[in-house]
């Protein structure tokens, strides 16, 4: 680093410098014009010292600035990122030695010498420092690795990125798009083999997670086969070792794909586990991807939801379609005036859209006596005083018949149920709902999922909130305009997934205790991927069907290999949750128990931790992707055998060079400490000489 200093000026002109010098000379002349008994040389020395001191002091008064300029050279960064996923080692070409390749890649540090700053990384799902010879990553996210490197070394002199990978990714966005944001040359090293290996696999399984007792339901299996032309795929589905469906599929090409539909029967109530398997063939490179496990919940019947309103509104259709996207629910929508024609006992939830139960004596009696869950949605047509009188969750004091726009602001402490990250992000960007203008008060026990944000101002007013009132669950949405959310999401994403998830989660929570089961234990999902944390939830109800979490809840997980895991649930909100961490791959059954008063309650179930077979889903390397990435960035694609040429290519690239950064810094001269040391030294020397000559 080189550092240069110079003097510049602030608000006062530099032409005052000669004046300061004349002032110093004049002051010294007046002081030493008539010396008494002083040697001529001493007098001149004293004159010079006093002139300089007065000049410096006067010069400081005009506020000069000291400009310091530093020049810092930065060597070009060469970033080397190595794909550490299993596919690189599983589908390697003949003669490729992964360990030797990693050593050769690391030698680039010595080959490039001191003129380059070489940094080494490896990646699979995440990016890590250094190279790795293990090749044990179970997922590959190339775009994330490129993005993290771009962010980590932002505003630095990145000369080149060396990306050694087979081009196969099973997580994240298209790497070609992410590479466009990388402002340097990308040199790709094409690993893997472009010729697909002999393999049979299950590419995907589409199925409904719920079915109804006695109904047939269909699962769709994407069966794939590579380099197996002439073979016959034997596909079967078993439940508890009993075969329930099978099909033989002739393989007609070396790159074969077919969607196979299999019909199953929901002849038993409860959560049922089905294992889908393709029988392996001779010389198949991997059999890990031949098996998939799915869980289907078989229900006695659909739960019926009653949606009542006083007048038509586009929100009605949105609510009905979103709830019915879950096959577990059937929505009956009708006018409040037609309540006499309905069999109220058939319904497990009532949604009151801008109306109240007091408008019908029969409805009020049904809800009050049966403690049926109610979801209130208020808007411009709502009778707010009547709404305030019949529920104890939210009170609205509206003095004027006006509406205002309110945005949904998610409350992170909400714990009654969980929305996916995708839905959370989408809801935060949704357009506003229309809420009655007034003062909102959230009563004791009310838990808001969303609060109102008015413009840029966050408020404490509830927008969507929940309360358990003496074992009756209540939800309140204080705004209308859900059709705006549905339209906005469709315009942005072409679907209504976030709106559907939000509304069905609300309905699922409100109807969760409709079966009056007092102790429920259920995993967050029935099939966990290898490496995922196994999450299990539990709910406990007292005799009045009120949610409690006072007693401890224990659970024993038993794997199919006979190993036992014992845990104690953690209390969260009014319920329980267990994070069992990452469990080994296998089938697990669980027994949970708790004691409420003198009564012991138990619950049983099962879950699966399946191996991640994503790295074996595709065996043919994608060298076209790597070539396109290198070409669009001005780099070049190389084969592993050409790695020795890489150092020369980088050295000959005129775009990869040392950059000198200039940094200018201004400071007041009065802040420079050595100036005062000079003044002090001159005054001290002058005093000493005068003392010695007897002038003091």
């Amino acid at each position: 680093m080189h550092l240069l200093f110079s003097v510049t000026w602030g608000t006062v002109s530099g032409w005052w410098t000669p004046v300061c010098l004349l002032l110093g000379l004049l002051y010294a002349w007046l002081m030493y014009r008539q010396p008494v008994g002083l040697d001529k040389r001493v007098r001149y020395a004293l004159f010079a010292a006093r002139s300089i001191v007065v000049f410096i002091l006067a010069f400081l008064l005009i506020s000069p600035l000291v400009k310091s300029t530093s020049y810092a050279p930065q060597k070009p960064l060469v970033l080397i990122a190595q794909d550490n996923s299993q596919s690189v080692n599983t589908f390697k070409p003949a003669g490729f030695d992964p360990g030797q390749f990693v050593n050769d890649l690391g030698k680039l540090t010595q080959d490039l010498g001191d003129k380059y700053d070489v940094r080494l990384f490896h990646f699979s799902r995440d990016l890590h420092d250094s190279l790795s010879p293990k090749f044990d990553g179970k997922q590959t996210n190339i775009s994330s690795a490129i993005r993290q490197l771009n962010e980590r070394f932002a505003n630095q002199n990145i000369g080149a990125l060396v990306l050694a990978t087979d081009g196969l990714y099973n997580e994240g966005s298209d790497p070609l798009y992410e590479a466009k944001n990388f402002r340097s040359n990308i040199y790709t090293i094409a690993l893997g083999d472009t010729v697909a290996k002999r393999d049979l696999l299950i590419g995907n399984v589409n199925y409904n997670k719920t079915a109804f007792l006695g109904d047939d339901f269909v699962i769709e299996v994407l069966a794939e086969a590579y380099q197996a032309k002439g073979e016959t795929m034997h596909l079967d589905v078993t439940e508890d070792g009993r075969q329930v469906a099978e099909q033989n599929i002739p393989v007609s090409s070396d790159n074969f794909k077919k969607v196979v539909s299999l019909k199953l029967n929901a002849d038993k109530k409860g959560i049922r586990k089905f294992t889908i398997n393709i029988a392996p063939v001779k010389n198949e490179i991997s059999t890990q991807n031949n098996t998939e496990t799915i869980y289907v919940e078989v229900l006695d019947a659909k739960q019926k939801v009653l949606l009542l309103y006083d007048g038509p509104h586009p929100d009605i259709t949105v609510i009905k379609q979103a709830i019915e996207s879950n096959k577990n629910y059937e929505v009956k929508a009708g006018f409040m005036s037609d309540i006499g024609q309905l069999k109220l006992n058939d319904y497990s939830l009532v949604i009151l859209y801008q109306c109240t139960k007091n408008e019908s004596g029969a409805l009020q009696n049904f809800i009050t006596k049966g403690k049926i869950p109610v979801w209130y949605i208020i808007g411009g047509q709502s009778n707010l005083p009547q709404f305030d009188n019949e529920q104890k969750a939210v009170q609205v004091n509206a003095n004027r018949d006006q509406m205002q726009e309110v945005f949904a602001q998610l409350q992170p402490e909400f714990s009654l149920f969980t929305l996916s990250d995708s839905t959370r992000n989408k809801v935060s960007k949704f357009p506003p709902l229309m809420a009655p203008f007034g003062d909102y008060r959230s009563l004791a026990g009310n838990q808001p999922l969303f609060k109102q944000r008015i413009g840029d101002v966050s408020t404490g007013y509830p927008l969507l909130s929940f309360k358990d009132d003496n074992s009756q669950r209540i939800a309140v949405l204080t705004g209308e305009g859900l059709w705006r959310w549905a339209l906005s999401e469709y315009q942005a994403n072409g679907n209504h997934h976030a709106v559907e998830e939000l509304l069905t989660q609300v309905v699922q929570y409100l109807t969760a205790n409709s079966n009056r089961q007092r102790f429920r234990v259920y995993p967050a999902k029935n099939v966990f991927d290898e490496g995922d944390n196994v999450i299990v939830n539990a709910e406990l109800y007292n005799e009045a069907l009120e949610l409690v979490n006072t007693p401890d809840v224990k659970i024993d997980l038993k794997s199919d290999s006979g190993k036992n895991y014992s845990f104690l649930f953690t209390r969260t909100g009014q319920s329980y949750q267990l994070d069992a961490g990452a469990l080994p791959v296998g089938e697990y059954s669980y027994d949970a128990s708790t004691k409420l008063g003198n009564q012991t309650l138990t619950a049983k179930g099962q879950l699966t931790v399946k191996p991640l077979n994503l790295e074996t889903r595709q065996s043919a390397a994608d060298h076209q992707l790597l070539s396109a990435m290198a070409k669009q960035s001005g780099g070049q694609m190389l084969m592993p055998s050409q790695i020795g040429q890489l150092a020369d290519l980088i050295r000959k690239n005129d775009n990869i060079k040392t950059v000198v950064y200039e940094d200018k810094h201004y400071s007041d001269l009065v802040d420079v400490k050595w100036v005062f040391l000079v003044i002090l030294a001159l005054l001290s020397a002058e005093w000493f000489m005068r003392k010695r000559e007897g002038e003091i």
Side-chain angles (χ1 to χ4, degrees):
M1 178 183 291
H2 303 286
L3 189 63
L4 300 176
F5 294 94
S6 62
V7 177
T8 185
W9 309 101
T11 57
V12 179
S13 172
W15 289 106
W16 283 95
T17 303
V19 177
C20 296
L21 181 59
L22 289 174
L23 182 62
L25 294 172
L26 178 62
Y27 188 93
W29 179 77
L30 290 173
M31 189 169 184
Y32 294 108
R33 73 182 186 279
Q34 292 180 342
V36 179
L38 282 177
D39 182 75
K40 189 175 183 180
R41 289 178 298 178
V42 173
R43 183 180 61 182
Y44 286 160
L46 293 173
F47 178 86
R50 180 60 62 157
S51 298
I52 294 172
V53 168
V54 174
F55 166 72
I56 293 175
L57 292 174
F59 189 68
L60 291 175
L61 293 177
I62 64 176
S63 303
L65 300 175
V66 176
K67 181 177 75 171
S68 57
T69 306
S70 62
Y71 298 92
Q74 186 181 90
K75 294 185 289 186
L77 283 166
V78 176
L79 309 177
I80 300 177
Q82 167 231 334
D83 188 345
N84 189 50
S85 60
Q86 290 179 340
S87 63
V88 174
N89 196 29
T90 304
F91 305 116
K92 60 189 176 185
F96 177 73
D97 185 346
Q100 184 60 45
F101 171 76
V102 172
N103 290 335
D104 292 342
L105 200 58
K107 287 179 182 177
L108 279 173
T109 303
Q110 289 80 33
D111 294 343
L112 289 171
D114 296 334
K115 294 183 179 180
Y116 299 88
D117 186 2
V118 181
R119 307 288 181 90
L120 305 177
F121 303 91
H122 69 273
F123 68 91
S124 50
R125 184 177 185 179
D126 298 306
L127 183 73
H128 304 279
D129 292 335
S130 76
L131 303 180
S132 173
K134 296 181 179 179
F135 295 98
D136 56 357
K138 297 181 181 299
Q139 291 172 272
T140 308
N141 193 335
I142 301 176
S143 61
S144 175
I146 297 174
R147 181 174 61 256
Q148 289 182 63
L149 289 172
N150 209 10
E151 292 172 352
R152 184 183 297 191
F153 298 100
N155 302 320
Q156 297 190 43
N157 181 23
I158 302 178
L161 168 63
V162 178
L163 187 65
T165 177
D166 55 9
L168 301 178
Y169 62 95
N170 42 53
E171 189 173 295
S173 58
D174 185 350
L176 192 62
Y177 175 80
E178 192 63 45
K180 291 180 181 178
N181 301 322
F182 204 86
R183 302 293 183 183
S184 303
N185 299 126
I186 298 178
Y187 293 89
T188 56
I189 301 177
L191 304 180
D193 194 343
T194 56
V195 178
K197 302 296 188 292
R198 184 178 177 86
D199 194 22
L200 274 58
L201 60 96
I202 297 174
N204 190 34
V205 181
N206 287 323
Y207 65 101
N208 287 326
K209 293 182 174 59
T210 57
F212 297 99
L213 190 63
D215 288 351
D216 289 333
F217 62 96
V218 175
I219 63 173
E220 293 181 340
V221 181
L222 175 59
E224 302 181 22
Y226 299 96
Q227 303 301 314
K229 183 178 179 180
E231 296 283 354
T232 298
M233 250 194 287
H234 181 70
L235 176 68
D236 68 352
V237 182
T238 59
E239 181 187 14
D240 297 328
R242 177 177 61 94
Q243 188 180 80
V244 293
E246 66 173 332
Q247 190 167 333
N248 290 321
I249 309 148
V251 179
S252 56
S253 68
D254 282 332
N255 188 13
F256 179 80
K257 294 183 180 181
K258 183 177 181 180
V259 176
V260 181
S261 296
L262 299 170
K263 184 182 289 186
L264 307 178
N265 183 258
D267 57 358
K268 244 184 339 183
K269 180 183 175 183
I271 297 177
R272 299 175 58 187
K273 183 184 76 173
F274 298 94
T275 302
I276 306 159
N277 182 69
I278 294 177
V281 295
K282 187 178 180 180
N283 298 326
E284 187 175 353
I285 190 168
S286 173
T287 59
Q288 293 180 356
N289 49 21
N290 291 38
T291 303
E292 286 287 341
T293 300
I294 64 172
Y295 286 84
V296 177
E297 184 177 9
V298 178
L299 306 168
D300 264 343
K302 292 184 178 181
Q303 293 196 67
K304 294 185 177 181
V305 176
L306 180 59
L307 173 57
L308 296 173
Y309 50 90
D310 282 332
H313 194 283
D315 282 357
I316 303 298
T317 301
V318 171
I319 296 171
K320 186 176 189 298
Q321 291 179 348
I323 296 175
E324 288 185 337
S325 67
N326 185 325
K327 302 300 182 181
N328 191 23
Y329 297 100
E330 176 184 335
V331 179
K332 169 64 178 177
F335 288 99
M336 177 65 81
S337 57
D338 297 332
I339 193 72
Q341 304 173 19
L342 301 174
K343 295 182 180 179
L344 297 179
N345 290 327
D346 291 343
Y347 300 97
S348 54
L349 170 66
V350 176
I351 302 176
L352 299 173
Y353 188 85
Q354 300 199 51
C355 57
T356 63
K357 63 186 181 186
N358 284 333
E359 297 177 24
S360 166
L363 178 63
Q364 182 175 358
N365 184 62
F366 167 66
I367 293 174
T368 303
K369 287 188 176 180
K371 293 190 174 181
I372 302 301
V374 185
W375 184 3
Y376 295 92
I377 302 176
I378 64 174
Q381 305 303 315
S382 296
N383 184 331
L384 295 179
Q386 192 168 314
F387 164 76
D388 287 347
N389 288 335
E390 68 178 43
Q391 51 78 40
K392 300 177 182 178
V394 176
Q395 299 289 289
V396 185
N397 182 13
N399 297 321
R400 291 178 290 176
D401 188 17
Q402 294 182 359
M403 304 289 285
Q404 65 181 354
E405 292 186 340
V406 297
F407 295 89
Q409 182 160 318
L410 183 72
Q411 301 303 296
E413 65 275 10
F414 182 82
S415 60
L416 297 181
F417 55 83
T418 303
L419 297 175
S420 66
D421 291 339
S422 173
T423 296
R424 289 166 173 257
N425 292 332
K426 289 178 182 178
V427 171
S428 66
K429 300 173 184 176
F430 278 167
L433 301 180
M434 300 301 296
F437 182 87
D439 182 40
Y440 292 75
R441 189 160 60 95
S442 187
L443 302 183
N446 190 47
Q447 299 188 48
L449 170 60
F450 301 127
K451 288 185 179 180
Q452 297 180 12
R453 177 170 60 83
I454 303 173
D456 294 329
V457 179
S458 300
T459 73
Y461 297 165
L463 178 59
L464 176 58
S465 58
F466 302 84
K467 183 174 182 178
D468 197 322
D469 186 15
N470 293 325
S471 77
Q472 182 186 34
R473 290 185 172 181
I474 296 173
V476 178
L477 177 62
T478 59
E480 62 176 271
L482 293 172
W483 63 270
R484 296 184 179 184
W485 286 9
L487 181 60
S488 172
E489 184 181 13
Y490 190 82
Q491 288 176 334
N493 305 290
N495 57 55
H496 302 115
H497 293 168
V499 173
E500 290 173 354
E501 180 184 344
L502 173 62
L503 298 188
T504 54
Q505 284 279 50
V506 172
V507 172
Q508 284 178 6
Y509 168 75
L510 292 174
T511 60
N513 63 347
S514 60
N515 58 6
R516 301 306 190 252
Q517 185 178 346
R518 292 183 53 198
F519 184 44
R520 298 179 64 238
V521 178
Y522 53 96
K525 52 187 178 181
N526 295 110
V527 180
F528 294 88
D529 288 328
E530 181 182 3
D532 285 351
N533 283 15
V534 174
I535 306 296
V536 184
N537 301 296
E539 293 178 352
L540 178 64
Y541 297 88
N542 60 17
E543 294 286 353
L545 293 177
E546 297 169 328
L547 204 59
V548 295
N549 64 356
T550 306
D552 290 337
V553 173
K554 300 177 182 179
I555 187 171
D556 291 318
L557 281 163
K558 185 176 182 180
S559 70
D560 52 3
S561 62
K563 190 168 184 179
N564 288 311
Y565 302 86
S566 297
F567 298 97
L568 193 66
F569 276 83
T570 300
R571 294 169 178 82
T572 171
Q574 294 178 293
S575 306
Y576 301 86
Q577 189 174 82
L578 167 68
D579 184 348
L583 296 177
V585 171
E587 307 285 339
Y588 292 83
S589 60
Y590 61 81
D591 291 287
S593 63
T594 188
K595 190 171 184 180
L596 187 60
N598 296 323
Q599 188 176 8
T600 299
L601 301 173
T602 60
K604 297 184 178 184
Q606 57 185 352
L607 58 91
T608 298
V609 179
K610 71 172 184 177
L612 266 179
N613 297 324
L614 298 176
E615 290 298 310
T616 59
R617 290 283 173 88
Q618 188 175 351
S619 61
D622 191 352
H623 289 180
Q624 288 185 345
L625 170 66
L626 302 181
S627 178
M629 289 173 62
K631 185 176 180 180
Q632 79 173 5
S633 70
Q636 185 175 332
M637 186 183 82
L638 305 172
M639 301 306 293
S641 59
Q642 300 173 302
I643 193 170
Q645 305 174 18
L646 190 54
D648 287 335
L649 289 172
I650 292 174
R651 279 193 290 263
K652 292 176 181 178
N653 191 332
D654 293 334
N655 295 323
I656 305 174
K657 60 183 68 175
T658 298
V659 175
V660 178
Y661 292 95
E662 182 185 71
D663 181 31
K664 295 181 179 180
H665 178 72
Y666 293 88
S667 60
D668 289 326
L669 185 60
V670 72
D671 294 329
V672 180
K673 294 182 175 57
W674 61 263
V675 174
F676 292 95
L677 293 177
V678 171
I679 295 173
L680 181 61
L682 290 171
L683 290 175
S684 299
E686 183 185 5
W687 178 86
F688 177 76
M689 293 174 66
R690 293 182 63 185
K691 181 74 172 177
R692 191 185 67 176
E693 298 296 326
E695 290 295 314
I696 297 179

